[in-house]
Amino acid sequence: MKTISEASREIPLLYEADVVVVGGGPGGIGAALAAARNGADTVLLENYGCLGGNQTLAFNDTFSFVDDRVQGGIVQELINGLKDGDAIFDSPPGIIRDHWGSRDSGCFYFDGEYYKYMLEQKMYESGVRLFYHVFVTDAIVENGLIRGVIVETHEGRRAVLGKTVIDCTSVGHVAWKSGARVTGEEGYADDRYGPFKGMHMGLGYGMFVANMDFQKFREFAEQNEEEWDSWVKGKKTFARYKKEGKLKAARGSCLMNEYANGRCWILHPYYPLPKGEHPWMVESMTAGEIDMRRQAWETFNMFKESVPGFENARLEQTPSRLLMRDSHRIVADRSVGVDDLYETKVFDDAVACCNMQVDVFFPTGSHHFKYENTPFDIPYSCMVSKDIPNLMAAGGSVDCDLISWSALRYCTPALCTGQAAGTAAAIAGKQGV
């Protein structure tokens, strides 16, 4: 690769805190609120212009499989806040057609715009210093400790310093930039699920369609129950359009929720990553964005042409960012592996319990989701870097293999590990360790 030389320069200090949380998704939300409420001067850095991560930026506006017997704390606080704001979509009484059974299975669908507003109010009330539109480009490491991070802003390069840094990027970005050991480069470690060794899950995409005739589609779906009234929809129609060359896509179906107001959420576009490509490569990410937007329009046109109720629909919105899925994760003293999920190990340093199921996307676009593992412990020792003792991780950045990651990455366990990491960072600061 051709290079240029960059002149050395003094970097202005943007902020100095006790705890620096990078990433405003579920892990970062839990970490920032917990750290601040435990007395730490806390700063939260977010690349985009809102909080919520995949919940708001990629239209995953749900909490999945919440069980108040094993998850309380900030998870329940946020759900209660959404209820108080009349921002939870009920099913029944028919506001949303939810094929999981909604609250019976602990799934809560909510208004993403209210969620953004509510989260900012909670950060303000808890004393969290929030910065939007900052992108972490490097980590500051001295004498075996992380002192902070370098960010790029519209004003130029800035430094943010702290006693503890928590990587809540879901892709282990801070750990990777710090020079600490990370896992994730290898993708699938073996061929247990197919010939995918060394490959990654592809990039994903959800979208919203508006002006659907809810009643007309529901009548059609109930008359064609096998294809259109389940969680996975449209297999025959997708197969026909792919065969006719009208749809070029890896996946042969979609996931879908219909709202009585005519809005419809569809998850279909998928960009496979060939062997040798990684999800953090800028060319792959750009190609994925472009290709999945094409898929979104081809899918939408298929619905308009072939699915009753969508004749007058319009493609309302594609997300602000793609679903990046697997990437880097820290290397810690303990890793959560696939066997821990099925053996239901009890860890002596457990900080949370994950009852999310394994939800694996394969490089071919196929999908694996089964109720086959029971709730499992998440140990504290998978959250602290083995190389840099004041670098922590939460959510999808913790030390785990790719299969267990497909459960731990979800919003509910990510909030739990975030709350644990923020609490631990605040305690460490008070104790001077």
Side-chain angles (χ1 to χ4, degrees), residues 97-117:
R97 170 62 175 170
D98 166 30
H99 301 277
W100 285 118
S102 194
R103 297 183 185 183
D104 293 338
S105 56
C107 294
F108 297 86
Y109 298 87
F110 56 80
D111 183 334
E113 291 303 317
Y114 183 82
Y115 190 55
K116 296 175 189 177
Y117 165 75

Side-chain angles (χ1 to χ4, degrees), residues 245-314:
K246 295 180 181 179
L247 175 63
K248 298 179 182 65
R251 299 186 71 182
S253 62
C254 70
L255 305 183
M256 181 173 154
N257 276 328
E258 314 99 66
Y259 294 78
N261 64 2
R263 203 166 189 238
C264 181
W265 173 82
I266 298 172
L267 178 69
H268 167 70
Y270 186 85
Y271 184 74
L273 290 166
K275 197 164 189 175
E277 285 193 25
H278 301 288
W280 55 85
M281 290 179 169
V282 65
E283 290 184 357
S284 298
M285 294 177 72
T286 302
E289 292 271 18
I290 294 169
D291 188 74
M292 287 191 290
R293 189 164 288 112
R294 173 194 57 76
Q295 291 181 49
W297 277 101
E298 290 182 354
T299 302
F300 169 68
N301 288 332
M302 181 195 79
F303 271 81
K304 277 183 70 76
E305 293 173 3
S306 297
V307 183
F310 285 83
E311 294 88 347
N312 298 312
R314 60 184 175 85

Side-chain angles (χ1 to χ4, degrees), residues 84-252:
D84 293 342
D86 196 27
I88 294 281
F89 299 122
D90 284 317
S91 172
I95 294 174
I96 178 175
R97 170 62 175 170
D98 166 30
H99 301 277
W100 285 118
S102 194
R103 297 183 185 183
D104 293 338
S105 56
C107 294
F108 297 86
Y109 298 87
F110 56 80
D111 183 334
E113 291 303 317
Y114 183 82
Y115 190 55
K116 296 175 189 177
Y117 165 75
M118 182 187 78
L119 291 173
E120 289 172 346
Q121 300 311 303
K122 288 189 177 294
M123 294 299 164
Y124 174 77
E125 292 163 2
S126 301
V128 176
R129 186 72 162 93
L130 176 61
F131 286 103
Y132 286 140
H133 306 295
V134 292
F135 179 72
V136 172
T137 59
D138 210 348
I140 306 166
V141 179
E142 295 178 358
N143 301 319
L145 298 176
I146 185 167
R147 288 193 58 211
V149 294
I150 302 295
V151 300
E152 290 289 351
T153 76
H154 286 288
E155 299 175 276
R157 191 169 296 186
R158 297 290 185 268
V160 180
L161 304 180
K163 298 175 183 175
T164 300
V165 176
I166 308 177
D167 187 335
C168 300
T169 62
S170 82
V171 292
H173 183 70
V174 179
W176 182 38
K177 290 295 183 180
S178 73
R181 280 174 289 174
V182 292
T183 185
E185 302 267 351
E186 72 285 353
Y188 285 93
D190 53 41
D191 290 334
R192 181 184 302 200
Y193 289 92
F196 305 137
K197 185 176 180 180
M199 300 179 71
H200 295 274
M201 297 186 195
L203 307 173
Y205 216 73
M207 61 188 188
F208 275 108
V209 170
N211 206 35
M212 171 196 67
D213 186 327
F214 178 80
Q215 196 58 45
K216 187 174 182 179
F217 174 74
R218 289 301 321 138
E219 291 173 0
F220 166 74
E222 289 167 10
Q223 293 168 7
N224 298 270
E225 182 177 358
E226 184 178 345
E227 183 178 11
W228 286 104
D229 202 29
S230 61
W231 177 235
V232 179
K233 287 182 167 66
K235 289 183 178 180
K236 294 179 182 178
T237 307
F238 275 95
R240 175 164 60 88
Y241 267 70
K242 289 175 71 173
K243 184 177 180 179
E244 294 173 356
K246 295 180 181 179
L247 175 63
K248 298 179 182 65
R251 299 186 71 182

